[in-house]
């Protein structure tokens, strides 16, 4: 009977020992998972920092030009909005715009847009010629 108690006591001690080992393993697993999550978070943050640093390259002439273009565009839009507001604010009895003014605006716009349209058309035609030449070769 004492033998049975010893074996029972030994198995209870073993059971406690295994429980303690399991608890330690769970703690270790949690620490490893936490460390892995932190490591991946730090890696993502370093990547974000590297990307941010790459975006923060400051080229003064480019920045000045870009700011000037943005300011010019903003000013043009303001002028357009004011002109549009003024145009629609006039009484209906007066003609809003006559044919001569329309033609002057169209001519001015065509003068501004023609180089861009010509360039786009030239690129399209060049692409088609190259495609055709490659197909025939």
């Amino acid at each position: 009977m004492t033998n049975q108690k010893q074996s029972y006591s030994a198995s209870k001690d073993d059971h406690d020992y295994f429980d303690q080992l399991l608890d330690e393993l769970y703690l270790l697993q949690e620490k490893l998972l936490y460390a892995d999550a932190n490591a991946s978070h730090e890696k993502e943050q370093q990547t974000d920092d590297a990307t941010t640093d790459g975006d923060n390259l400051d080229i003064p002439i480019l920045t000045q030009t870009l700011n000037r273009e943005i300011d010019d565009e903003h000013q043009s839009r303001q002028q357009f909005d004011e002109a549009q507001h003024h145009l629609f604010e006039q009484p209906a009895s007066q003609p809003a715009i006559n044919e001569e003014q329309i033609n002057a605006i169209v001519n001015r716009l065509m003068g501004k847009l023609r180089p861009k349209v010509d360039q786009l058309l030239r690129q399209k035609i060049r692409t088609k010629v190259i495609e055709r030449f490659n197909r025939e070769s």
Side-chain angles (χ1 to χ4, degrees), residues 77-130:
R77 286 180 187 239
Q78 274 185 329
Q79 288 175 349
F80 177 76
D81 289 343
E82 288 172 6
Q84 195 175 25
H85 181 70
H86 179 70
L87 178 68
F88 290 115
E89 206 175 69
Q90 292 181 354
S93 62
Q94 295 178 347
I97 194 166
N98 63 24
E99 196 67 31
E100 200 173 289
Q101 290 172 328
I102 291 174
N103 288 337
I105 292 171
V106 169
N107 289 337
R108 193 172 359 158
L109 288 173
M110 286 302 295
K112 285 183 179 179
L113 294 176
R114 187 174 307 277
K116 293 176 186 175
V117 171
D118 286 346
Q119 182 183 5
L120 288 173
L121 185 59
R122 183 179 303 276
Q123 288 173 351
K124 289 279 188 186
I125 291 172
R126 186 174 192 280
T127 304
K128 292 295 181 184
V129 168
I130 291 171

Side-chain angles (χ1 to χ4, degrees), residues 34-50:
Y34 181 74
D36 187 40
N38 279 343
S40 65
H41 179 68
E42 287 176 9
K43 189 175 184 179
E44 287 175 7
Q45 193 165 9
Q46 288 174 350
T47 304
D48 290 344
D49 290 345

Side-chain angles (χ1 to χ4, degrees), residues 18-98:
F18 289 134
D19 282 343
Q20 184 181 4
L21 277 177
L22 276 175
D23 290 341
E24 289 177 9
L25 283 173
Y26 284 132
L27 285 173
L28 180 62
Q29 181 183 15
E30 287 178 10
K31 287 179 183 177
L32 287 174
L33 288 174
Y34 181 74
D36 187 40
N38 279 343
S40 65
H41 179 68
E42 287 176 9
K43 189 175 184 179
E44 287 175 7
Q45 193 165 9
Q46 288 174 350
T47 304
D48 290 344
D49 290 345
T51 304
T52 304
D53 290 344
D55 290 343
N56 286 337
L57 292 177
D58 190 21
I59 303 171
I61 189 93
L62 181 60
T63 304
Q64 291 169 358
T65 305
L66 184 60
N67 286 339
R68 194 175 325 116
E69 288 296 323
I70 290 171
D71 291 342
D72 289 347
E73 182 66 25
H74 182 68
Q75 188 176 19
S76 296
R77 286 180 187 239
Q78 274 185 329
Q79 288 175 349
F80 177 76
D81 289 343
E82 288 172 6
Q84 195 175 25
H85 181 70
H86 179 70
L87 178 68
F88 290 115
E89 206 175 69
Q90 292 181 354
S93 62
Q94 295 178 347
I97 194 166
N98 63 24

